[in-house]
Amino acid sequence: MVVLAGLGLNHSVKSQATLSLREAVSYTLENNYSILISENELRQSSLQNHIGEAGFLPTLDLLANQNWRNENIDLLFLSGEGIQRDGASTVGFTGQALLNWNLFDGTKMFITRDKLYELEMFGEENTRVTIENTIAALATTYYGIAAEAERLRVFEEGVALSEKRLELAKSNYEVGRGNKMDYLSAQVDLNTDKSALAAQEEVLYNFELQLNEIMVQPLDLKYKLPEQIPVNRALDFEDLISRVTLVNPSLLSAQREKNVAYLEWKELMAQRLPSLNFNAGLLYSSSESEGGFVIANQSQGYTYGLTAAFRVFDGLRQTRQAQVAKINIQNSEYRTEALRLQLESELRKAYKNYTNNIYLYDLESENLDVARENLDIAQERYEIGITTPLELREAQRNAIEAESRLLNAAYSTKVAEIELFRLGGRILNTYLRQDN
């Protein structure tokens, strides 16, 4: 287990509040824009999953029409009498309430209802994909900060050791016990270490920016992270591979897409059957005329009836659409199986990476103990003039590299673990329960 020193970058206590991984996940679920957009899209799918969208409910329309007419009238009857009037006005009003209800449409409405449900579930799985991918990126960044902060501490210790060596080389040179080459070499090595430290500060800064961006927090906010990168040794391959098939949201989403393609084909098949509509209406009309046979006219009543329809020939349009829909079904099956194969391949790679880095972690733990002991010995021997500056520098470099390799192994193991949890569809539940 790697012990971390925290960030310690001279920020205020308020801006260095300890942040657990569970808290980071909560902030992300509440604020991340990709997750919020995905949840809104799911709400849209949920609203559309309604019997009204499927066509089960009737439609009711209210219509009103008011018109005015002004005309010159000159009428002559067989009796010899006539009517002549200039500027005669006519006022008419018509009101209707029309009800239309599709009683039978070849079962299409039932199929559409099932399709709307599948589309809602498709949206739900896509939301899970977005959430789990985002949490995976969050956890990777979170532990990346922990690893890079520890690496920064290692570089700071290297700078401190090089400064101490420079002071000793300078002192020896000034009193005539050392040569100028050793002094200059110590100065060059110190500058090299300072350059590496500055580069590492930039790496850590970029990780901190990325964490705040994912959580949608102020970009200059700093956190004090827990002091360990835990190495999980208990992941089982057979359990992981079974979970990919059962609960991976990307695979479940692909299966929903296949269901939707099949239902779209069934909708087309249903359109070949006859349809039956019920219609009814309330009617009211009135008119007044200053010229003509009738001065005022008013009527009201109702109407109702059934309309049956059956399309005999449509230029083979439905046949072609059905053929296209069958191809869509086949393609969705191909995509599902291709995704299943891809996920299994990714899981096998991630698990191999996971087991390999656990082995490297144990190996580098032993190497680090040896490198630290060797550095302590070299430093003591250098101070009493037995070890050369080159030998001390080599021991220092070996210790830094050993610690860096151990950090890489710990972080890589954690990244592989995160990927395995993501592929198994369990990353959210896992990291919501963790405090680090």
Side-chain angles (χ1 to χ4, degrees):
M1 189 172 292
V2 180
V3 179
L4 303 178
L7 297 182
L9 298 178
N10 297 322
H11 300 293
S12 67
V13 174
K14 180 179 179 181
S15 65
Q16 276 195 339
T18 299
L19 178 70
S20 70
L21 182 55
R22 180 169 59 182
E23 291 171 335
V25 170
S26 296
Y27 291 149
T28 302
L29 292 176
E30 292 174 3
N31 303 310
N32 182 269
Y33 292 119
S34 295
I35 292 177
L36 293 178
I37 291 172
S38 183
E39 289 175 343
N40 277 339
E41 291 173 347
L42 176 58
R43 291 190 188 99
Q44 290 176 328
S45 299
S46 179
L47 289 171
Q48 291 173 334
N49 183 16
H50 188 273
I51 59 173
E53 290 289 330
F56 280 88
L57 300 181
T59 62
L60 178 63
D61 296 311
L62 298 178
L63 305 176
N65 180 49
Q66 177 80 46
N67 59 74
W68 295 266
R69 189 173 63 202
N70 190 283
E71 57 189 347
N72 298 328
I73 298 175
D74 190 356
L75 300 176
L76 178 63
F77 304 116
L78 290 175
S79 63
E81 298 179 354
I83 299 175
Q84 184 174 10
R85 180 171 296 180
D86 294 336
S89 63
T90 301
V91 179
F93 173 79
T94 302
Q96 300 181 71
L98 301 178
L99 174 73
N100 187 67
W101 198 345
N102 193 345
L103 300 179
F104 180 76
D105 63 352
T107 70
K108 179 177 178 293
M109 64 180 71
F110 296 94
I111 300 169
T112 302
R113 179 194 59 188
D114 294 340
K115 186 181 78 170
L116 292 174
Y117 171 78
E118 289 294 331
L119 287 172
E120 181 180 358
M121 294 301 100
F122 177 77
E124 186 172 309
E125 298 302 340
N126 280 344
T127 300
R128 281 189 57 205
V129 170
T130 300
I131 291 174
E132 299 229 339
N133 288 346
T134 304
I135 299 305
L138 170 76
T140 300
T141 304
Y142 180 90
Y143 287 114
I145 291 177
E148 298 306 331
E150 176 68 0
R151 203 186 311 274
L152 182 68
R153 180 196 62 79
V154 173
F155 287 171
E156 288 173 340
E157 290 180 353
V159 169
L161 180 59
S162 293
E163 288 175 342
K164 185 175 181 181
R165 173 188 158 200
L166 177 61
E167 292 177 1
L168 184 58
K170 180 181 179 181
S171 176
N172 288 338
Y173 171 67
E174 289 175 346
V175 299
R177 293 174 53 191
N179 57 57
K180 189 173 184 179
M181 183 178 293
D182 290 344
Y183 171 54
L184 295 176
S185 177
Q187 181 68 60
V188 170
D189 290 340
L190 175 60
N191 290 338
T192 300
D193 291 343
K194 286 183 176 180
S195 177
L197 178 61
Q200 180 58 28
E201 287 175 342
E202 182 179 350
V203 171
L204 179 58
Y205 176 75
N206 290 337
F207 266 93
E208 291 169 342
L209 281 178
Q210 186 175 348
L211 182 67
N212 283 319
E213 183 180 351
I214 294 173
M215 295 193 301
V216 191
Q217 298 296 314
L219 295 179
D220 59 349
L221 201 59
K222 305 290 182 180
Y223 304 100
K224 183 178 180 182
L225 301 189
E227 297 182 351
Q228 293 178 344
I229 296 181
V231 176
N232 185 349
R233 300 172 180 268
L235 298 184
D236 178 70
F237 177 78
E238 295 301 328
D239 175 64
L240 292 167
I241 198 70
S242 64
R243 292 185 66 87
V244 166
T245 303
L246 295 175
V247 298
N248 180 274
S250 295
L251 189 57
L252 295 178
S253 177
Q255 291 169 345
R256 294 289 183 186
E257 184 179 10
K258 181 174 66 173
N259 294 343
V260 169
Y262 173 70
L263 290 170
E264 287 176 344
W265 173 78
K266 289 187 67 178
E267 280 182 327
L268 291 169
M269 293 297 98
Q271 291 177 11
R272 296 183 173 184
L273 298 176
S275 63
L276 180 64
N277 278 36
F278 170 75
N279 51 78
L282 296 176
L283 308 175
Y284 172 82
S285 67
S286 67
S287 65
E288 295 181 359
S289 177
E290 294 182 347
F293 296 103
V294 180
I295 297 177
N297 180 30
Q298 180 176 305
S299 65
Q300 57 187 2
Y302 60 89
T303 181
Y304 60 91
L306 295 173
T307 302
F310 180 68
R311 178 162 292 177
V312 178
F313 182 73
D314 66 349
L316 301 178
R317 179 172 174 269
Q318 289 184 354
T319 300
R320 290 191 296 273
Q321 288 180 335
Q323 292 172 342
V324 171
K326 279 192 172 182
I327 295 174
N328 287 336
I329 294 173
Q330 189 176 57
N331 284 341
S332 65
E333 290 174 349
Y334 290 156
R335 283 191 292 268
T336 300
E337 293 308 313
L339 180 59
R340 191 192 312 276
L341 184 62
Q342 176 188 341
L343 291 173
E344 182 176 344
S345 176
E346 290 178 358
L347 185 133
R348 289 179 180 275
K349 292 176 183 177
Y351 192 77
K352 179 63 177 178
N353 189 18
Y354 165 75
T355 55
N356 188 57
N357 277 289
I358 287 180
Y359 168 76
L360 292 176
Y361 177 83
D362 294 337
L363 182 64
E364 295 302 338
S365 295
E366 296 178 5
N367 285 343
L368 179 59
D369 292 338
V370 174
R372 282 176 173 170
E373 183 178 0
N374 185 50
L375 177 59
D376 291 340
I377 294 173
Q379 189 172 358
E380 292 175 359
R381 290 168 61 86
Y382 179 76
E383 290 176 356
I384 61 178
I386 299 177
T387 297
T388 66
L390 184 61
E391 291 172 334
L392 175 60
R393 181 62 178 176
E394 184 65 21
Q396 181 185 6
R397 184 182 294 110
N398 287 339
I400 291 175
E401 290 178 354
E403 195 150 5
S404 183
R405 289 194 303 269
L406 180 60
L407 280 170
N408 290 339
Y411 180 58
S412 296
T413 302
K414 180 56 65 176
V415 170
E417 173 196 317
I418 292 169
E419 178 65 3
L420 290 170
F421 282 148
R422 185 189 71 83
L423 292 170
R426 54 187 286 197
I427 189 169
L428 182 60
N429 292 334
T430 299
Y431 293 129
L432 269 178
R433 296 194 303 267
Q434 288 194 6
D435 291 327
N436 53 49

